[in-house]
Amino acid sequence: MTNINTASGPALTLTIAGSEATGGAGAQADLKTFQELGTYGIVALTCIVSFDPKDSWNHRFVPVDQQVIADQLEAIQTCYEGKLGTVKLGMMGSPATIDTVATALKSQKWDNVLLDPVLICKGQEPGHALDTDEALKSNLLPLATFVTPNHFEAEQLSGLTITSEEDLVAAAKKIHEISGAAVLAKGGVRIAGEDAVDVFYDGETLEVLREKKIGEVAVSGAGCSLAAAVTSELAKGATPLEAARTAKAFVTEGIRNRVAGKTPFDALWQGGRR
């Protein structure tokens, strides 16, 4: 009989996120990123998003029942009690889901809570989406130790208009002031210039991360994968700045080796650096 040593093994990483059917983003991107970076990936699904090829590939959004979300988290947290200390929060989709997730998170201590603040979920009524955004800011942002807003989300969280690198720096500082979390604010292709620029700020260290742009169009899964890469590195013991640097390099290679389908956008490949 083989004696399995359970005292060691890979770092555990949980994502609480939505499923994106074509595999480019969401929980699928998170799990592939976790695997590539050597952590044991676990997922609790909050919703299912299916692009509609008959409607310009717009989002079709279906929430997961609240009890089912709670059941998933109960199983995960009980199974890995005392071992699971790192979680990534992706698309929630509703105030009810945010409440369910926040309740589960508060039932234990966490070393790392990474919030990828998915604001204005496509496929929802505008009023409902706004309610979701407000619930995220009030219920999940205070729990976060690391936040990874994209250009739009950084504007919404900071209240600032971002058109330059300097604006992005100011927004990162403002979001840290509001949340107390380390911040990696993503400029990506949306800030003019030859570099894709992201800004890291944790209250003490400010670093602008740069890589040459690979095209001028956003790639599906880049934000999810960046946040998941930070999550993996934090779980393995990296500092927030080290995690941000590794994640930036990881995503750059994923974009360089992106996958094309019939959607009007390509998807990042998490195995791009191989």
Side-chain angles (χ1 to χ4, degrees):
M1 180 176 174
T2 303
N3 181 25
I4 299 174
N5 180 10
T6 58
S8 60
L12 306 181
T13 41
L14 166 63
T15 179
I16 306 175
S19 166
E20 193 278 277
T22 67
Q28 287 88 333
D30 293 345
L31 287 177
K32 287 183 278 189
T33 299
F34 292 163
Q35 187 76 12
E36 286 290 332
L37 290 173
T39 66
Y40 183 83
I42 307 161
V43 61
L45 289 179
T46 57
C47 57
I48 298 173
V49 173
S50 311
F51 297 130
D52 186 353
K54 300 183 295 297
D55 182 25
S56 302
W57 299 94
N58 285 321
H59 290 61
R60 293 177 291 198
F61 170 86
V62 178
V64 171
D65 180 82
Q66 294 307 305
Q67 189 60 53
V68 175
I69 296 172
D71 290 348
Q72 291 177 85
L73 292 170
E74 179 190 30
I76 292 163
Q77 290 177 277
T78 303
C79 178
Y80 299 109
E81 184 177 358
K83 296 179 66 177
L84 177 63
T86 299
V87 59
K88 180 208 162 187
L89 309 177
M91 182 184 286
M92 297 290 122
S94 74
T97 294
I98 288 169
D99 288 343
T100 298
V101 169
T103 297
L105 291 178
K106 291 173 184 176
S107 70
Q108 71 166 82
K109 292 183 177 180
W110 297 90
D111 299 317
N112 307 293
V113 177
L114 187 139
L115 175 62
D116 191 18
V118 182
L119 300 180
I120 308 297
C121 172
K122 300 179 186 71
Q124 292 183 302
E125 294 298 322
H128 182 77
L130 184 60
D131 290 344
T132 301
D133 290 355
E134 291 304 317
L136 185 145
K137 292 175 190 176
S138 60
N139 293 349
L140 293 183
L141 188 59
L143 302 178
T145 61
F146 201 120
V147 188
T148 58
N150 64 21
H151 180 269
F152 170 77
E153 293 154 358
E155 288 190 326
Q156 297 302 304
L157 290 175
S158 68
L160 303 175
T161 299
I162 301 171
T163 59
S164 67
E165 182 180 316
E166 291 73 22
D167 293 338
L168 193 63
V169 169
K173 289 181 175 180
K174 183 67 174 178
I175 295 167
H176 170 75
E177 180 185 323
I178 294 167
S179 65
V183 178
L184 182 58
K186 300 172 285 186
V189 297
R190 292 180 173 82
I191 292 179
E194 62 181 18
D195 292 336
V197 175
D198 302 330
V199 172
F200 173 88
Y201 184 68
D202 65 357
E204 295 180 358
T205 302
L206 172 71
E207 183 161 311
V208 179
L209 307 179
R210 308 174 189 277
E211 293 281 359
K212 297 297 181 188
K213 286 180 180 175
I214 304 168
E216 292 287 341
V217 179
V219 174
S220 177
C224 302
S225 299
L226 183 79
V230 171
T231 304
S232 285
E233 293 304 301
L234 292 174
K236 293 188 294 185
T239 67
L241 179 57
E242 290 169 345
R245 289 170 175 164
T246 299
K248 176 74 167 176
F250 177 86
V251 165
T252 299
E253 289 307 309
I255 293 172
R256 184 170 286 116
N257 294 281
R258 56 194 180 272
V259 177
K262 292 188 176 181
T263 53
F265 43 81
D266 294 339
L268 174 148
W269 182 42
Q270 288 76 17
R273 63 178 189 167
R274 294 184 197 173

